[in-house]
Amino acid sequence: MATAVSLCLPRVLHTSAPRPSFHRRVSVQGAGATLPDARRLCRRSSAVSAAAGASPPEAGTAAWDSLGGVSVFAAGTGDAVPLRDLWDPSEGVVVVALLRHFGCFCCWELASDMKKSMPKFESAGAKLIAIGVGTSDKARILADGLPFPVDSLYADPERKAYDVLGLYHGLGRTLFSPASSKIYSRLDSIKEATKNYKLKGTPADLTGIMQQGGMFVFRGKELLYAWRDEGTGDHAPLDDFLGICRQVPAA
């Protein structure tokens, strides 16, 4: 199993400045309560933003606006789809999970957990979608291997959504982040999820292997909750996201 985990952590000697920061966790106070203050949701470090040369979209509708020019590619058909077309902009609730890439063991684990959780999210009135770095044919390797529903899976080969949403990219976050150590508590889960794993899911452009993921909750055009992975395998707790979706006030 040690070999499997090592393949999840690439050895490409390429690095870049970290992406702008989102505040990682925001609590919702209870069913029917007011959702988090937008100013708390996307608090960021000015030093990180200056190094990255850009500012992250603020909470509220700024993230939606910033995603206006971003398209992803459907795993099933390979067709380009505007990212904002994946849910109802008037009132639809969606959880957008950005995986590292389709050849990442930890991402197979997350996708497996997402698939198991889909009925619960659907009962909460929320849609789950996953996006990964790579092409549609790479996405289908993951979809076929787990399996994972292709109508909920999309590819972002140029990492445009990752850039807009301010996710980390670089050698340090991929190989040396303390947050990555949590994968060692989930080795059994990773082993179970990767029974049919294919290394061919790794993107051809190996700079994509340095990408970290994240997870975001939108209600229509409004960004409600943001999680940015601090390292490889630093996934958001799905139960936290389910609780948030259950507490989104009815439109």
Side-chain angles (χ1 to χ4, degrees):
M1 193 60 226
T3 302
V5 173
S6 69
L7 288 172
C8 188
L9 305 176
R11 302 180 182 181
V12 183
L13 297 180
H14 170 83
T15 187
S16 66
R19 301 298 181 191
S21 170
F22 282 92
H23 187 57
R24 276 172 54 110
R25 297 173 185 259
V26 178
S27 61
V28 179
Q29 296 303 317
T34 302
L35 286 166
D37 186 331
R39 291 170 296 181
R40 295 173 55 212
L41 181 60
C42 291
R43 190 175 300 150
R44 61 188 173 87
S45 162
S46 58
V48 171
S49 295
S55 297
E58 297 297 330
T61 62
W64 168 272
D65 294 338
S66 298
L67 289 169
V70 176
S71 289
V72 291
F73 296 85
T77 64
D79 293 339
V81 183
L83 179 54
R84 299 194 312 186
D85 286 359
L86 299 182
W87 68 94
D88 180 355
S90 62
E91 60 185 40
V93 178
V94 65
V95 178
V96 182
L98 289 100
L99 312 177
R100 291 184 61 239
H101 60 84
F102 302 113
C104 170
F105 278 92
C106 301
C107 296
W108 279 56
E109 178 205 20
L110 176 57
S112 177
D113 290 344
M114 288 177 62
K115 176 191 172 184
K116 294 173 185 175
S117 299
M118 281 182 174
K120 295 179 181 179
F121 279 88
E122 290 171 0
S123 69
K127 181 179 182 181
L128 268 178
I129 63 172
I131 300 170
V133 177
T135 57
S136 295
D137 62 320
K138 301 288 188 180
R140 286 193 295 274
I141 292 174
L142 180 147
D144 293 342
L146 277 176
F148 188 89
V150 291
D151 57 352
S152 297
L153 186 63
Y154 298 85
D156 184 2
E158 297 181 7
R159 299 185 287 118
K160 291 182 178 179
Y162 297 78
D163 288 342
V164 167
L165 293 172
L167 299 181
Y168 281 120
H169 179 270
L171 180 65
R173 292 284 176 176
T174 302
L175 291 177
F176 305 115
S177 171
S180 299
S181 64
K182 65 176 60 176
I183 66 174
Y184 297 106
S185 67
R186 307 197 314 266
L187 294 182
D188 289 342
S189 175
I190 293 173
K191 182 178 180 180
E192 177 66 25
T194 55
K195 289 179 178 178
N196 299 316
Y197 173 80
K198 302 290 185 182
L199 183 60
K200 292 180 180 180
T202 303
D205 179 359
L206 294 183
T207 61
I209 299 176
M210 296 296 180
Q211 182 65 59
Q212 299 306 314
M215 198 171 288
F216 303 85
V217 179
F218 286 87
R219 179 191 175 196
K221 298 179 180 180
E222 183 179 6
L223 175 62
L224 300 180
Y225 186 98
W227 171 284
R228 182 191 62 174
D229 293 353
E230 295 286 348
T232 300
D234 181 33
H235 300 151
L238 283 178
D239 285 346
D240 287 0
F241 276 76
L242 180 60
I244 291 165
C245 292
R246 285 173 172 165
Q247 295 178 49
V248 173

